[in-house]
Amino acid sequence: MYCNYIELIYMGGLTMPIRFDAVRHHFDANETLFFARELESIEKTTYEFKEKELKYRKFVPVSNRDNPGAESITYHMLGKVGMARIISDYSHDLPRADVYGKEYTQSVKTVGISFGYNTQEIRAAIMANKPLDTMKADAARRALREKESSIVWTGDTEHNIIGLLNNPNIAVVASQNGAASSPTWALKTADEIINDVRIMTSRVRTQSKGVHNADTLLLPIDQYDILATKPRSVNSDTTVLEYLQKPGNSFGLTTIDWLPTELDNAFTGGTEDGAICYERSAEVLEQRIPLELQLLPIQAKGLEFVIPGESRHGGVVVRYPLAMVFFTGI
């Protein structure tokens, strides 16, 4: 149907009269899509999905000194025994000191990953000028890193690998109720939270007889944010976090940081958030990685090219569990 009329169009703050002498037309689906594409602004930059930060290599020292061919890792812990005393017989009354040792063994497992692309993907990548091999290699590396992170924090029950958070030799201390009758930091005062941190650092010193001093505190994000935003006191412009990290204080913490998800519901059967307070030293704990990710030669399979990769991981060795404490219920 033809139409011949004046329509008022509001444009840029002005009302403009526009005359139409045209035929009304109903576009089909393909035509509508065509015009939509014509009006679409396509960015030249390709964005990647943001992924959580993996901090397992930052907070658990890494060792690559083991031979990649090893099937297990064995380490020895030596202890000294003996007590001197005043003697009366110079020839037969001497107490004896000695050294004893314990042997610990952990398995080393292969972690595998692969990526590949077919001939059409290669042609399409060349046409679009996309670095197909780099992008897929990055995806494989990320997948392997996520598995390593899982091994470090929670182990692998299928292959009898114990992770750091389920190590049975590390002491577990439960947070006590504050004035609001709750152990959680969201309901505790600044003084009550500071006292909880004092309990953690003091526990490491007392249980190790002063041999170890905690220097690192890891928290879930929510609890870290509480430290970072809660004032030290009503009249203070210092946060609890700043107060705890002030040089020369009695806590001795040089690092207070957060883990993305690993400490959320990590304790008491998966029901409570918790913290790790420990001395961060390769003597105390380390993850053993005899073989870092190694990509093997390309394998042609029909019209597809596959690149396999592997690494070797021996889990987390905790030599001095008395240098660590888990603090739960926060």
Side-chain angles (χ1 to χ4, degrees):
M1 179 178 70
Y2 287 91
C3 61
N4 189 352
Y5 61 93
I6 300 294
E7 184 171 326
L8 296 180
I9 305 296
Y10 185 76
M11 300 180 61
L14 299 175
T15 302
M16 303 178 62
I18 304 294
R19 180 179 180 86
F20 291 94
D21 293 299
V23 177
R24 291 191 180 276
H25 179 69
H26 295 285
F27 297 109
D28 62 27
N30 291 332
E31 290 173 316
T32 302
L33 178 62
F34 171 77
F35 284 107
R37 286 294 185 185
E38 287 294 300
L39 298 175
E40 181 180 355
S41 175
I42 301 177
E43 294 193 28
K44 294 182 179 180
T45 302
T46 301
Y47 297 94
E48 297 182 6
F49 288 106
K50 299 295 183 181
E51 298 171 303
K52 74 173 185 179
E53 183 180 359
L54 302 177
K55 296 187 173 185
Y56 69 103
R57 286 179 176 246
K58 179 179 180 181
F59 294 120
V60 181
V62 177
S63 168
N64 302 123
R65 66 179 178 274
D66 301 301
N67 191 301
E71 294 292 339
S72 62
I73 294 170
T74 298
Y75 62 98
H76 299 84
M77 297 294 295
L78 299 178
K80 303 178 184 69
V81 294
M83 182 178 295
R85 67 173 184 264
I86 297 174
I87 61 173
S88 57
D89 186 335
Y90 286 91
S91 60
H92 300 292
D93 200 22
L94 296 176
R96 181 180 293 273
D98 210 339
V99 175
Y100 67 94
K102 288 187 177 181
E103 184 176 277
Y104 301 88
T105 300
Q106 293 185 197
S107 298
V108 179
K109 299 295 182 181
T110 298
V111 182
I113 192 67
S114 68
F115 63 96
Y117 30 80
N118 56 45
T119 53
Q120 176 54 28
E121 286 181 311
I122 296 173
R123 288 188 289 264
I126 294 173
M127 176 180 175
N129 194 28
K130 297 290 185 182
L132 183 65
D133 54 345
T134 302
M135 294 167 63
K136 292 205 172 189
D138 286 345
R141 187 175 293 105
R142 172 70 188 195
L144 185 131
R145 290 285 189 261
E146 288 185 352
K147 182 57 180 178
E148 286 183 343
S149 178
S150 175
I151 291 173
V152 167
W153 297 119
T154 58
D156 188 309
T157 55
E158 180 182 353
H159 296 95
N160 198 30
I161 299 176
I162 298 175
L164 179 60
L165 295 178
N166 46 26
N167 188 303
N169 298 317
I170 299 173
V172 180
V173 178
S175 176
Q176 300 301 306
N177 288 347
S181 301
S182 173
T184 62
W185 283 7
L187 298 176
K188 283 190 171 183
T189 66
D191 284 337
E192 289 171 339
I193 293 173
I194 290 170
N195 186 58
D196 279 349
V197 176
R198 183 175 288 109
I199 290 172
M200 287 185 248
T201 56
S202 177
R203 177 61 183 264
V204 171
R205 279 194 297 271
T206 56
Q207 70 186 11
S208 67
K209 309 301 182 187
V211 174
H212 299 286
N213 290 284
D215 56 20
T216 301
L217 175 62
L218 301 182
L219 299 164
I221 291 178
D222 288 345
Q223 286 77 356
Y224 178 86
D225 287 345
I226 290 172
L227 293 189
T229 57
K230 185 181 282 291
R232 168 66 185 88
S233 64
V234 176
N235 300 318
S236 175
D237 59 356
T238 300
T239 65
V240 173
L241 179 62
E242 291 170 330
Y243 174 77
L244 292 172
Q245 290 187 302
K246 187 177 181 180
N249 64 26
S250 61
F251 302 100
L253 295 171
T254 57
T255 300
I256 300 178
D257 211 327
W258 51 269
L259 294 181
T261 58
E262 289 81 2
L263 294 175
D264 298 342
N265 297 318
F267 302 98
T268 320
T271 61
E272 291 185 337
D273 294 351
I276 310 174
C277 189
Y278 65 110
E279 181 181 305
R280 182 159 42 123
S281 162
E283 275 194 330
V284 172
L285 78 165
E286 63 181 0
Q287 51 182 307
R288 307 289 281 268
I289 306 179
L291 179 67
E292 295 284 4
L293 174 61
Q294 184 178 78
L295 297 179
L296 303 181
I298 297 176
Q299 300 177 3
K301 295 183 178 180
L303 297 179
E304 187 179 29
F305 299 92
V306 178
I307 297 89
E310 64 172 345
S311 71
R312 301 274 289 163
H313 206 290
V316 178
V317 171
V318 179
R319 298 188 188 87
Y320 298 102
L322 295 181
M324 310 185 71
V325 66
F326 296 143
F327 195 76
T328 65
I330 61 173

